[in-house]
Amino acid sequence: MSVLFPRTFFRQPSFFLSLGLLPCAWVPAADFSREIEPLLSEYCYDCHADGSAKGDFAMDDHGSVKELVSDLRHWVPIWENLRSHLMPPANKPQPSDAERATLARWIEQEVFKLDHENPDPGRVTIRRLNREEYRHTISDLLGVDFDVEEALPADDTGYGFDTIGDVLTISPMLMEKYLEAARDIVSQCIKPQEAKIPFITIEGDKLTAQAPAKKNGKWLPFSQRAEVGTRRIIEHPGEYRLHVEYRTVGSQEASDHTASLKVQVNGEQVGGQNLGWDNRKSITFIAKAPLNEGENVITFAIEEESPPGAEDKPLILNLLKVSLEGPMDGSHKVFPKDYYRTFYKGAPPHDPKNRTAYAREILRRLATQAFRRPVDEPTLDRLVNLAALAEKAPKARFEDGIAHAATAILASPRFLFRAETQPEPDNPGKIVPIDEHALASRLSYFLWSSLPDSELTELAGRRELRANLAEQVDRMLADPKAERLVENFVGQWLQTRDVEGLNIDPRRVLGIKDLNQAFKVFGGRQRRAMRLETEMLFGYLLKENRSALELFTADYTFLNESLAKYYGIPDVKGETMQRVSLPKDSHRGGILTHGSLLVVTSNPTRTSPVKRGLFVLDNFLGTPAPPAPPNVPTLEEAKKAGKKDMTMREAMILHREKPLCASCHARMDPLGLALENFNAVGMYRAEENGQPIDTAGKLITGESFQTVEQLSQILATSRHTDFYRCLASKMLTYAIGRGTEYYDAPTIDRIVADLEKNGGKLRTLIHGIVNSAPFQKRRGDGSHSH
């Protein structure tokens, strides 16, 4: 049975003495009684003490101060609401910034026991590669573009992301699928292949005229005498075949226009072709020529033979490409390019001892890459033995043995799971830096959704990665593979992954009865462009190292012609996504007006202010509302009870009449209604049911706005620290594979402080996460004082 204390009881020194607490134990009596309890009394107790428990939360029903101070569940919501200025409500007296800081600091130090100098890194469950990581890892490791969506089930998510260790489990059925996938992948890329006479291909635009002429092989009019060519260094001399692929363009109808094409090698003519009208997409002829060791000059000269007739259109030669095949005596042969990815020294030697040594080299290289750390000798011995055993099968060859061992590598837990070794894995009190191979792996899967490349692996092997982290992060962000961070982080944080497949009925939303016509207005092209618009804005800010606040304030966006037309923005041509400066009357600007956000927060047939408000609270302010209570009537039911053709705002007022619903709706609805100028498919509208749409509102923290533009400005100014904290928490969750906890506050506060100091630049956020304790360290599993 709990004991209820009057407010003054906590101020009595006798209370602490009766518990046997010295002034230095738990909370020093003077601190709590003189500084903390008076603040709680002034700002909290009217609603949460002395018999009042608004929101089903009371602050005076603990049996003792010791019990009060040790109750983490009690203090976490107080601390969260205090930091985000959600409590006290805006219509109540507000503590000063200094008072808020005093309360927050006391909770962090005396209740949470946080050490801001040595933050707790937490623990992460061993993580299986998710589908996207598996796909990119296979591509980067073996060069196979594997269809993971067809072969593997969708991943579970936690905290909004599919990188969370606790949900990336593996079942016997999934293990069978991984084994089947391993066989399929290996069959595509590790197999016996024959060495062939090599081909060297030269594209037509690389066949150029001598300066100052600017002609190249792609555009050679019959009527203009011209010569284009190339210089090639040949290491293996002999007779070669020149495969010349071309087409003639310029007229859809037959023409009398003709020309001759002469092929010369080192000044000697070796072949030619009579050119005329031909509607084939490509024509190939072959010339033979001896090529010398060293530099050889290959030229193509065109000269008009017969001019076009009076009604004819002039013709043009398009040299598509030239391929050099040779030497034709077979003195030099090569394997296909993909063969060398695994068999990097070429064909296996015939000598059994050297053959085994080569197999060992191949498997050491492959296993070390796949396991993301040097493979141990006993494991390597088993892989070599597997390969040798498979090679003994009837008609099997060396490559078949390697393929068998490679299948075992891809089905190994060391490949499928991102394991991290630790000296005392079961000791929750033991905090250690992860080793450099684990750090390389965390870094590469964070920024590239794939395994470390050779540079990261080599630095980790020399234990020099930590000393060069900043340079490596910048190098990795400059790599095209960093687009995967944008796709996978933004795709889940802002739900752009869902835009293209979400169930939306454009007929009902747009009032178009014909399904085909409705899909022409809002279909796959618009959905894809909406996804790219949001991802490209984030990617641009990251690449250019601009402020994250531009997500709200950007007066530009990324559009193609079809999405620009959909938005009503003129003068955008072509289907390539491009940066577009927004006209002032476009009603667009910032992420709150992006079609992607507006679509994923709508219902199939109408807008949803609740979904939109929740989206802003959860993803930009970091203050998600609790789940709705059971048996709440739907909005449609509320509409039936009201007048005909009521606006969304009027329906929401009816919907939230229950006192239990009102407090949460007061947080969500103003944010969602601010976006009501945009329908369920993201199209702008000024009216609803013949009435002007009212987008004015007020945040629970007190800021008022009239339009979505003003709301965006509030998020970028007075609430920007909340956004920094929310964004840091979201990206940290994505990066480390677990949800953030109260003990991550020192880490997030440090990142936020760096963002404040550096103008919110996105690379500051990335570097802050990579340098943080949760990213760089880990503690053992098991129960913990937290």
Side-chain angles (χ1 to χ4, degrees):
M1 182 176 176
S2 63
V3 180
L4 297 176
F5 298 100
R7 302 182 190 185
T8 54
F9 188 68
F10 291 114
R11 300 176 186 166
Q12 298 172 12
S14 60
F15 175 77
F16 290 91
L17 293 173
S18 72
L19 294 173
L21 297 178
L22 296 174
C24 62
W26 295 95
V27 184
D31 286 350
F32 187 84
S33 64
R34 294 174 192 169
E35 298 180 56
I36 304 305
E37 202 269 343
L39 292 177
L40 298 176
S41 175
E42 184 174 353
Y43 298 114
C44 306
Y45 284 179
D46 281 348
C47 298
H48 302 289
D50 298 334
S52 180
K54 286 191 177 180
D56 200 25
F57 188 80
M59 300 179 70
D60 60 353
D61 61 355
H62 290 78
S64 66
V65 170
K66 182 175 181 179
E67 181 186 328
L68 172 72
V69 175
S70 62
D71 186 356
L72 285 174
R73 289 188 179 182
H74 176 81
W75 289 103
V76 167
I78 297 173
W79 173 74
E80 288 177 340
N81 286 325
L82 187 72
R83 281 159 61 94
S84 59
H85 291 240
L86 289 179
M87 290 292 166
N91 60 353
K92 296 282 187 179
Q94 297 293 308
S96 66
D97 289 344
E99 288 172 329
R100 281 187 190 274
T102 297
L103 274 170
R105 185 168 56 250
W106 178 83
I107 294 170
E108 290 173 9
Q109 292 177 352
E110 304 300 336
V111 181
F112 297 166
K113 307 294 183 185
L114 301 184
D115 183 348
H116 282 259
E117 296 303 314
N118 298 288
D120 181 356
R123 54 165 290 279
V124 178
T125 303
I126 186 172
R127 276 180 282 174
R128 170 177 59 80
L129 301 182
N130 63 36
R131 284 200 312 191
E132 284 300 293
E133 291 168 343
Y134 187 89
R135 178 166 71 91
H136 291 307
T137 299
I138 291 297
S139 176
D140 294 342
L141 177 66
L142 296 170
V144 175
D145 185 11
F146 186 63
D147 187 352
V148 292
E149 293 185 8
E150 179 69 26
L152 301 172
D155 296 303
D156 290 331
T157 59
Y159 305 96
F161 296 104
D162 61 9
T163 57
I164 305 302
D166 283 336
V167 302
L168 290 171
T169 55
I170 193 164
S171 64
M173 184 177 289
L174 182 55
M175 191 63 235
E176 287 183 19
K177 288 187 177 293
Y178 277 124
L179 185 56
E180 187 180 331
R183 293 191 184 109
D184 186 3
I185 291 161
V186 168
S187 70
Q188 295 182 51
C189 62
I190 303 178
K191 56 191 175 185
Q193 299 191 61
E194 299 300 326
K196 297 179 180 178
I197 294 173
F199 260 76
I200 302 170
T201 298
I202 306 157
E203 296 295 328
D205 58 354
K206 303 299 181 187
L207 302 169
T208 56
Q210 287 188 345
K214 294 182 179 181
K215 287 185 180 292
N216 67 57
K218 287 283 189 180
W219 194 261
L220 296 171
F222 283 17
S223 58
Q224 298 175 18
R225 192 179 187 287
E227 185 175 284
V228 296
T230 184
R231 296 173 183 269
R232 306 299 299 181
I233 303 295
I234 297 297
E235 296 180 6
H236 304 280
E239 185 176 87
Y240 280 70
R241 286 179 182 168
L242 279 66
H243 300 256
V244 182
E245 186 178 346
Y246 73 94
R247 65 181 174 183
T248 57
V249 295
S251 176
Q252 297 293 321
E253 299 176 352
S255 167
D256 292 333
H257 203 185
T258 62
S260 66
L261 177 68
K262 294 178 181 178
V263 184
Q264 293 184 323
V265 173
N266 298 323
E268 297 289 330
Q269 183 172 337
V270 297
Q273 189 81 339
N274 293 320
L275 305 175
W277 181 86
D278 198 307
N279 64 356
R280 283 178 286 178
K281 288 186 177 179
S282 71
I283 307 159
T284 301
F285 73 90
I286 297 174
K288 295 180 180 179
L291 296 182
N292 305 320
E293 185 174 1
E295 185 176 83
N296 293 261
V297 180
I298 304 168
T299 58
F300 300 84
I302 185 172
E303 187 169 354
E304 187 177 53
E305 296 282 339
S306 300
E311 303 296 323
D312 293 339
K313 292 183 178 179
L315 298 179
I316 297 130
L317 169 65
N318 180 351
L319 278 174
L320 298 171
K321 62 184 178 182
V322 176
S323 299
L324 307 182
E325 180 188 11
M328 295 308 299
D329 61 4
S331 58
H332 173 66
K333 292 185 177 182
V334 295
F335 288 94
K337 190 176 180 181
D338 62 340
Y339 184 86
Y340 291 101
R341 182 183 283 270
T342 303
F343 304 97
Y344 59 100
K345 289 184 178 179
H350 295 291
D351 177 70
K353 187 176 179 182
N354 293 338
R355 199 177 181 88
T356 301
Y358 186 33
R360 193 174 190 86
E361 286 179 40
I362 289 170
L363 292 172
R364 182 190 299 279
R365 191 165 172 260
L366 183 60
T368 293
Q369 284 180 288
F371 297 164
R372 299 165 297 264
R373 63 176 57 249
V375 61
D376 59 277
E377 293 302 317
T379 300
L380 183 58
D381 290 339
R382 289 193 291 272
L383 290 170
V384 173
N385 290 337
L386 268 178
L389 190 65
E391 192 181 348
K392 290 177 182 176
K395 297 184 179 180
R397 296 169 63 175
F398 178 81
E399 293 87 350
D400 297 314
I402 297 298
H404 189 64
T407 303
I409 289 172
L410 296 190
S412 167
R414 300 191 203 183
F415 172 72
L416 296 174
F417 287 89
R418 290 165 54 189
E420 296 172 348
T421 58
Q422 186 173 336
E424 297 180 45
D426 298 323
N427 179 2
K430 182 74 171 180
I431 294 176
V432 295
I434 58 175
D435 68 43
E436 295 224 343
H437 288 292
L439 181 59
S441 192
R442 283 193 179 189
L443 191 59
S444 64
Y445 280 99
F446 173 33
L447 300 181
W448 288 348
S449 297
S450 184
L451 44 66
D453 66 356
S454 58
E455 187 166 336
L456 286 175
T457 301
E458 288 168 11
L459 283 170
R462 298 198 303 265
R463 297 184 181 180
E464 295 176 2
L465 178 55
R466 271 192 172 84
N468 293 277
L469 260 185
E471 296 86 346
Q472 286 301 307
V473 169
D474 287 337
R475 175 183 75 86
M476 295 173 73
L477 289 175
D479 192 286
K481 287 189 284 189
E483 291 177 11
R484 300 168 186 173
L485 169 66
V486 177
E487 291 173 10
N488 294 327
F489 173 67
V490 175
Q492 295 178 88
W493 169 44
L494 300 178
Q495 299 174 26
T496 55
R497 274 187 183 180
D498 301 337
V499 175
E500 293 180 75
L502 200 69
N503 178 25
I504 292 283
D505 185 351
R507 291 177 301 179
R508 294 277 298 277
V509 176
L510 298 171
I512 299 174
K513 291 184 179 181
D514 184 87
L515 183 62
N516 289 330
Q517 287 300 319
F519 280 139
K520 283 181 181 179
V521 177
F522 179 74
R525 284 196 306 171
Q526 288 77 19
R527 288 178 184 245
R528 181 177 181 274
M530 285 176 175
R531 173 179 66 80
L532 291 174
E533 176 189 18
T534 302
E535 291 175 1
M536 289 180 74
L537 175 59
F538 187 92
Y540 172 77
L541 299 180
L542 181 59
K543 183 179 180 181
E544 300 296 324
N545 198 20
R546 298 171 77 99
S547 172
L549 298 179
E550 279 191 46
L551 286 170
F552 303 116
T553 63
D555 58 0
Y556 59 89
T557 191
F558 292 83
L559 306 172
N560 60 11
E561 186 172 349
S562 62
L563 186 57
K565 183 179 178 182
Y566 187 82
Y567 284 174
I569 296 171
D571 303 325
V572 177
K573 302 298 181 185
E575 288 306 298
T576 301
M577 297 295 289
Q578 54 203 273
R579 189 179 187 273
V580 175
S581 295
L582 293 167
K584 291 196 174 180
D585 60 351
S586 68
H587 307 294
R588 305 284 170 173
I591 202 165
L592 295 186
T593 66
H594 278 203
S596 64
L597 184 152
L598 298 162
V599 168
V600 300
T601 56
S602 291
N603 286 336
T605 61
R606 62 168 175 81
T607 61
S608 174
V610 170
K611 283 185 180 179
R612 289 178 173 180
L614 273 171
F615 188 95
V616 175
L617 286 174
D618 188 21
N619 294 299
F620 300 140
L621 294 172
T623 55
N631 303 320
V632 175
T634 65
L635 187 66
E636 282 70 21
E637 289 171 356
K639 281 186 173 182
K640 287 178 184 177
K643 66 179 185 179
K644 188 181 179 182
D645 293 336
M646 64 171 53
T647 65
M648 181 62 75
R649 180 178 287 272
E650 290 169 335
M652 292 301 298
I653 291 170
L654 273 180
H655 180 61
R656 63 171 184 258
E657 280 184 340
K658 285 190 176 183
L660 191 61
C661 304
S663 61
C664 288
H665 277 281
R667 294 169 59 187
M668 300 181 295
D669 292 0
L671 296 166
L673 290 168
L675 308 181
E676 270 298 292
N677 276 136
F678 301 93
N679 67 16
V681 292
M683 193 173 280
Y684 182 81
R685 58 187 181 170
E687 295 182 342
E688 181 190 11
N689 296 330
Q691 301 180 56
I693 293 174
D694 180 7
T695 58
K698 186 176 184 180
L699 270 64
I700 196 73
T701 44
E703 297 92 340
S704 296
F705 55 87
Q706 297 296 315
T707 63
V708 65
E709 292 84 4
Q710 291 178 11
L711 174 58
S712 294
Q713 283 298 320
I714 289 169
L715 295 177
T717 52
S718 63
R719 301 260 60 88
H720 79 278
T721 300
D722 293 334
F723 171 63
Y724 286 162
R725 190 181 294 123
C726 177
L727 178 57
S729 177
K730 294 286 184 182
M731 190 170 277
L732 188 63
T733 296
Y734 174 84
I736 63 177
R738 66 166 174 82
T740 54
E741 302 287 350
Y742 66 90
Y743 53 77
D744 292 308
T747 293
I748 293 173
D749 287 347
R750 189 172 295 177
I751 294 171
V752 170
D754 287 342
L755 285 169
E756 296 277 13
K757 187 167 63 176
N758 291 289
K761 292 181 177 178
L762 272 180
R763 291 205 177 194
T764 298
L765 173 64
I766 301 285
H767 283 281
I769 287 170
V770 169
N771 290 318
S772 71
F775 196 91
Q776 294 256 349
K777 300 176 182 179
R778 62 175 294 135
R779 64 169 159 84
D781 294 340
S783 60
H784 191 266
S785 59
H786 288 319

